Amino acid sequence: MREQSWYRRWLSGNNLLNGLLVILLILLIIFLSWQIRFIFEPVRALFTAVGAPILIAGVFYYLLSPLVKWLTRRTRLPRHLAIGLILIAMIGLVAGLVTILILVLRTQVITFIDHWPSYWHHSEQFINETFKSSQFKPVREFLNQTNTGINQNVIDWSKKYLTTGVAGIGSVASTLTAVGITAVSTPFILYYM
């Protein structure tokens, strides 16, 4: 019988040491992957541009495949016409839901804008009545003393967030473009699946 090396004797019966070694190797792989993440940037960009429509189309393919089979068997329509009818029905359903949502939001915003003066008046009265109390005298004095500091802080804050907001418009436009491309390309990919 051949004698085992010290390495084999030390690792073969020690499950804790084997587990720690596996964890160490996994952490090393994660660390090295993080160090060379620039290599994976094109893959991430490709998946961001193409992956979402394909993934969404794949989910809808598996959800709608039984409906297409049932429609082709029941009505004897060609498969491509059944798929087209289902896609048109889906697009119409989504467009109807979006339209209803926009109308509800529009109504809510108009109602809020119409009632804003009364909201402001009631809140102003509440605050004035509350702060007239003698219990809030220290708070009034503190606010009077720090009014100039608050004004300067508000000005600085508004400058900071205004520049950040303008810079964020590009990010919002990029996100809207990605959503638009996904919404337009998903039905085509789904049709050919």
Side-chain angles (χ1 to χ4, degrees):
M1 193 171 208
R2 213 169 82 190
E3 186 176 324
Q4 292 182 345
S5 69
W6 68 270
Y7 179 76
R8 191 179 253 312
R9 277 193 318 259
W10 196 53
L11 286 178
S12 65
N14 196 343
N15 289 335
L16 176 66
L17 192 59
N18 284 337
L20 290 175
L21 188 62
V22 167
I23 290 172
L24 179 67
L25 289 174
I26 289 172
L27 290 175
L28 182 65
I29 289 170
I30 292 170
F31 173 74
L32 291 175
S33 297
W34 181 256
Q35 295 300 318
I36 60 169
R37 65 186 176 272
F38 62 89
I39 293 173
F40 302 112
E41 188 63 30
V43 174
R44 187 193 66 80
L46 178 68
F47 183 75
T48 302
V50 178
I54 292 175
L55 187 66
I56 293 169
V59 168
F60 278 115
Y61 169 76
Y62 284 108
L63 290 175
L64 297 176
S65 183
L67 183 61
V68 169
K69 289 178 185 174
W70 178 82
L71 194 60
T72 55
R73 261 188 284 121
R74 190 87 165 147
T75 61
R76 304 222 187 267
L77 279 173
R79 188 169 175 84
H80 66 279
L81 286 178
I83 293 170
L85 285 174
I86 291 172
L87 282 177
I88 289 171
M90 273 184 47
I91 291 170
L93 180 69
V94 169
L97 290 174
V98 168
T99 303
I100 290 170
L101 180 69
I102 288 173
L103 290 175
V104 168
L105 285 175
R106 179 182 170 269
T107 306
Q108 293 293 318
V109 168
I110 288 173
T111 304
F112 179 73
I113 290 171
D114 288 343
H115 291 93
W116 174 252
S118 67
Y119 295 154
W120 182 259
H121 180 70
H122 289 299
S123 63
E124 189 177 31
Q125 280 182 339
F126 174 76
I127 290 171
N128 287 336
E129 291 297 321
T130 303
F131 277 101
K132 280 183 182 177
S133 171
S134 62
Q135 296 171 342
F136 288 101
K137 184 178 180 185
V139 175
R140 283 194 312 262
E141 290 172 0
F142 173 76
L143 289 176
N144 287 334
Q145 291 171 357
T146 58
N147 193 19
T148 57
I150 291 173
N151 287 341
Q152 188 59 40
N153 286 342
V154 167
I155 290 169
D156 293 342
W157 177 82
S158 63
K159 285 180 186 176
K160 176 183 167 188
Y161 285 103
L162 184 62
T163 57
T164 306
V166 170
I169 291 174
S171 173
V172 170
S174 172
T175 303
L176 288 176
T177 303
V179 168
I181 289 172
T182 301
V184 169
S185 62
T186 299
F188 292 108
I189 295 171
L190 180 58
Y191 179 80
Y192 287 107
M193 280 184 145

